[in-house]
Amino acid sequence: MTASLEYARQLTDSPVPPERRDEILADPGFGKFFTDHMVEVSWTAERGWHDAVIKPYGPLLIDPASAVLHYAQEIFEGLKAYRHPDGSIWTFRPDANARRFANSAKRLALPTLPEDDFVAALDLLVSTDAAWVPSGGEKSLYLRPFMYGSEAFIGVRPSAEVKFIAIASPAGPYFASGVKPVSIWLSEEYTRAAIGGTGAAKCGGNYAASLVAQQEAIANGCEQVAFLDAVERRWIEELGGMNLWFVQDDGSIVTPELTGTILEGITRDAIIALAGSLGHKVEERKIELDEWRTGVESGRIVEVFACGTAAVITPVGSLKWRGGEIVMAKEGDATPVASEIRSRLLDIQYGRAEDPHGWMHRVA
Ligand SMILES: *Cc1c(COP(=O)(O)O)cnc(C)c1O
């Protein structure tokens, strides 16, 4: 590792008391509680990255003219730290998040943080707050590194001052009462990303633009939204924050190919490798909305599932649109391919199985 940032350590003298922390870790939910510390690194055009510090978690003092508040110059990542049965702590492919973060930075005209410094920042946060990594039961410590334009200047150009911050939040199992198929609303009015846009970057702006579609989903009794391509409104892209998979009756699995408008999920990439080793043929290609509908009706498509760091793999139960619905799975139905890949991935992440791909990174 050739990380070059040196951190000042300003550790908290009032950490969350251990009894309260245990109470939180018993039922953390998702994104509600935060650990005792955060990492912060500053960047300016003149000095580059500097003033790296690990300090008590707490509010930021932010100038009302800060670039991010006006023009959304912001990117983020999401990954997890897992406690293994022997007590050791590991992250999953943090180098892949580092690479994607650097690509997102370039697209949003933000400075790139060297990949080794990205990984080292998370290692420092996780090892400092190691007591916050829950054990067992599909619990984890969710890590949220992000970067934003912090210059106080209301003009339109890339911010000459930037902050990189990383925070951590304990996470419970995504499905508190067992894996349950999600219902999906097809967004026919709104799209998520267009060629030449920011769809392949992990930036807050993509999420801001997807929220109205998410609202529409909820209003129509669905939990998540599926987006189509912005040009023909014909090709399946992905959900608001998860990539999609289609299992065919011959055991082969299909995921939409990356065309610049789909976020390149690290879970998606891991599934490509795992599914292959489990004997499934994997196809990355364009898939039409019509193929989804008629495939389910004809029995050619036998399962649909979505993947991402937070939920790992979740079966898709139904797809609903104005005037119609298809059902892939009801609660309690077996979704063998999704379940098999899900277990295989979780076993690697939680240290219950060999890691033949060298994906796990030891932190503590
Ligand atoms: C983060 C994200 C995903 C999933 O990526 P993972 O690396 O697997 O967590 C999928 N789609 C979008 C839009 C995302 O932001």
Side-chain angles (χ1 to χ4, degrees):
M1 168 140 337
T2 55
S4 60
L5 290 170
E6 295 274 351
Y7 281 83
R9 295 172 70 84
Q10 299 169 8
L11 299 192
T12 182
D13 46 24
S14 55
V16 173
E19 317 76 68
R20 174 64 189 137
R21 189 182 62 224
D22 288 346
E23 209 173 272
I24 291 170
L25 295 185
D27 183 20
F30 185 84
K32 293 192 292 186
F33 303 101
F34 299 92
T35 65
D36 292 312
H37 296 93
M38 61 197 236
V39 157
E40 183 176 310
V41 190
S42 301
W43 179 91
T44 59
E46 300 89 68
R47 298 179 60 195
W49 293 106
H50 63 278
D51 284 353
V53 60
I54 179 149
K55 62 183 192 180
Y57 181 93
L60 304 171
L61 188 63
I62 187 163
D63 193 290
S66 294
V68 65
L69 298 180
H70 303 274
Y71 309 120
Q73 197 187 8
E74 189 266 356
I75 58 169
F76 67 95
E77 272 301 327
L79 65 161
K80 288 173 171 175
Y82 308 86
R83 193 178 290 279
H84 284 190
D86 66 358
S88 59
I89 299 172
W90 304 69
T91 48
F92 181 73
R93 304 184 71 183
D95 52 319
N97 293 89
R99 215 161 28 245
R100 187 169 69 186
F101 195 60
N103 289 334
S104 298
K106 286 179 194 141
R107 180 62 184 84
L108 273 286
L110 285 161
T112 50
L113 181 68
E115 290 172 22
D116 288 340
D117 282 306
F118 176 96
V119 175
L122 298 176
D123 286 358
L124 175 63
L125 180 60
V126 172
S127 55
T128 305
D129 285 340
W132 285 90
V133 183
S135 37
E138 274 186 40
K139 291 179 186 168
S140 60
L141 184 66
Y142 184 80
L143 309 176
R144 170 51 61 85
F146 60 103
M147 189 194 290
Y148 64 91
S150 55
E151 186 183 358
F153 170 71
I154 308 188
V156 181
R157 59 158 169 73
S159 182
E161 292 171 24
V162 167
K163 294 276 189 210
F164 167 76
I165 297 177
I167 57 175
S169 173
Y174 191 83
F175 298 100
S177 48
V179 177
K180 193 168 122 276
V182 291
S183 51
I184 307 280
W185 175 251
L186 179 70
S187 179
E188 291 177 285
E189 181 173 359
Y190 307 106
T191 59
R192 197 191 78 91
I195 301 283
T198 56
K202 209 166 174 74
C203 61
N206 289 342
Y207 279 75
S210 74
L211 296 178
V212 66
Q214 177 66 28
Q215 243 174 1
E216 195 180 85
I218 302 288
N220 285 280
C222 297
E223 294 154 285
Q224 297 274 339
V225 196
F227 290 101
L228 297 171
D229 77 284
V231 179
E232 296 179 73
R233 310 281 178 114
R234 173 177 167 200
W235 307 99
I236 306 292
E237 299 227 307
E238 60 171 316
L239 306 186
M242 285 194 270
N243 297 115
L244 277 171
W245 289 90
F246 300 85
V247 182
Q248 304 186 118
D249 56 357
D250 61 358
S252 62
I253 63 174
V254 185
T255 192
E257 67 183 346
L258 303 173
T259 52
T261 55
I262 293 176
L263 199 283
E264 188 173 353
I266 293 162
T267 317
R268 175 187 182 280
D269 188 68
I271 290 171
I272 291 173
L274 285 180
S277 67
L278 290 167
H280 298 279
K281 181 170 164 265
V282 178
E283 292 174 39
E284 293 181 76
R285 62 165 169 87
K286 294 174 89 165
I287 175 159
E288 276 192 72
L289 174 60
D290 253 8
E291 183 178 344
W292 186 349
R293 286 175 176 155
T294 57
V296 169
E297 274 151 20
S298 71
R300 171 67 174 149
I301 293 175
V302 292
E303 276 179 57
V304 180
F305 63 88
C307 73
T309 295
V312 195
I313 286 177
T314 161
V316 172
S318 58
L319 176 73
K320 197 171 167 187
W321 60 93
R322 261 179 247 296
E325 181 174 19
I326 45 173
V327 175
M328 276 74 64
K330 297 208 178 65
E331 195 170 349
D333 283 358
T335 50
V337 176
S339 304
E340 174 192 36
I341 299 174
R342 184 171 205 278
S343 306
R344 184 86 192 89
L345 182 54
L346 287 172
D347 284 348
I348 293 173
Q349 291 174 330
Y350 283 88
R352 299 185 294 249
E354 284 300 303
D355 170 23
H357 305 278
W359 283 336
M360 302 309 290
H361 167 79
R362 184 159 187 171
V363 178

